Amino acid sequence: MSIRLWVTGLFASVLLLGGAASAYPMPAGAAGPAGAASGGVPWTIVVLFTLLTLLPAILLAMTPFVRLLVIFHFLRQALGTQSIPTNQTLIGLTLFLTWFLMAPVGTAIYQTSVVPLQNGSIDAVTAVERGSIPIREFMLKYAREKDLALFVELAHEPRPKTPADLSMRVVVPAYMISELKAGFQIGAVLFIPFLVIDMAVASITTSIGMMQLPPVVISTPLKILVFVMADGWHLLVGSIMKSFY
């Protein structure tokens, strides 16, 4: 499965964010499989170009991108390396890890919605409805019940019988704040061993009277050395990825 096909499959799910796809009727000639050959192609092009503009929102709101990026920024702050790794490096790593995690979801969306749409057996609205199912199931795995209940209450929606009855209006923001909480929790845990090193170095330098030398000058190389000797990137990325399986 190429990157192009995976991204195309992911695009097909976003219109369900506000129920927009079902709220607006299809133009004449694109209402069903028979009309897909005539008016369906222009309508599909309009939908895909609209989804292209929403790609950053999809990436942030409906994938683990936010959690991974928050964790990596916490790690950089804990190491005290300021701008190393650079923002571009962290975003690139986060992007490809997100692609790795979302590849099965993208494949499912492609097979259930994009392929039938390309074959003309379903219309664009049906494709969006089918494509929203795999990504909804993915988000529901990691959205906390507490967060889901909060947005159900704020939306004044009736209590759902099953999680599958929740609208994307509720699932997406609940998933986002759940991911932020998870990212901050993991980031706080990452800080602890490096904070211990900082405190130990500060205590030693103060006790021996090295007032003119900032403790960070000594603690930063020590933290980097400990992180490298422990193969920190392998352990961190491996632990994060395994938490999704």
Side-chain angles (χ1 to χ4, degrees), residues 1-238:
M1 179 67 61
S2 66
I3 297 178
R4 180 181 63 84
L5 296 181
W6 176 79
V7 173
T8 303
L10 185 58
F11 283 167
S13 63
V14 72
L15 285 186
L16 265 291
L17 283 175
S22 59
Y24 295 96
M26 293 287 289
S38 56
V41 174
W43 176 253
T44 302
I45 293 174
V46 171
V47 170
L48 290 180
F49 272 105
T50 303
L51 296 179
L52 278 172
T53 64
L54 296 174
L55 179 60
I58 301 172
L59 190 64
L60 292 175
M62 306 171 73
T63 69
F65 187 89
V66 171
R67 182 198 297 196
L68 296 172
L69 192 59
V70 167
I71 293 172
F72 291 145
H73 275 286
F74 266 106
L75 174 64
R76 188 173 67 181
Q77 293 296 321
L79 286 172
T81 54
Q82 302 299 324
S83 59
I84 302 297
T86 62
N87 288 333
Q88 292 84 351
T89 303
L90 293 181
I91 291 173
L93 176 61
T94 304
L95 183 62
F96 279 96
L97 291 178
T98 302
W99 173 40
F100 182 87
L101 291 170
M102 296 299 293
V105 179
T107 302
I109 294 173
Y110 181 78
Q111 295 294 335
T112 59
S113 63
V114 178
V115 171
L117 180 63
Q118 290 177 341
N119 295 334
S121 58
I122 59 175
D123 56 43
V125 172
T126 305
V128 172
E129 292 174 351
R130 290 187 181 183
S132 69
I133 296 175
I135 198 161
R136 181 203 300 269
E137 293 175 349
F138 175 84
M139 289 190 292
L140 286 173
K141 287 181 182 179
Y142 305 105
R144 301 186 304 165
E145 291 186 9
K146 182 179 181 180
D147 297 328
L148 292 170
L150 171 64
F151 285 98
V152 168
E153 180 182 355
L154 294 175
H156 301 291
E157 293 186 359
R159 185 181 180 88
K161 295 181 180 179
T162 63
D165 297 331
L166 292 168
S167 65
M168 295 294 277
R169 178 191 177 193
V170 170
V171 175
V172 173
Y175 171 77
M176 286 190 69
I177 63 174
S178 297
E179 287 294 282
L180 284 171
K181 177 179 174 60
F184 272 78
Q185 284 179 329
I186 298 173
V189 173
L190 281 175
F191 250 104
I192 295 176
F194 299 110
L195 180 62
V196 171
I197 295 176
D198 284 332
M199 294 176 64
V201 170
S203 177
I204 293 173
T205 55
T206 302
S207 64
I208 62 178
M210 297 176 62
M211 301 298 182
Q212 303 299 323
L213 183 65
V216 69
V217 175
I218 301 175
S219 64
T220 298
L222 286 177
K223 290 187 290 186
I224 295 175
L225 180 62
V226 170
F227 187 74
V228 172
M229 294 297 294
D231 200 3
W233 285 110
H234 176 83
L235 293 175
L236 176 62
V237 173

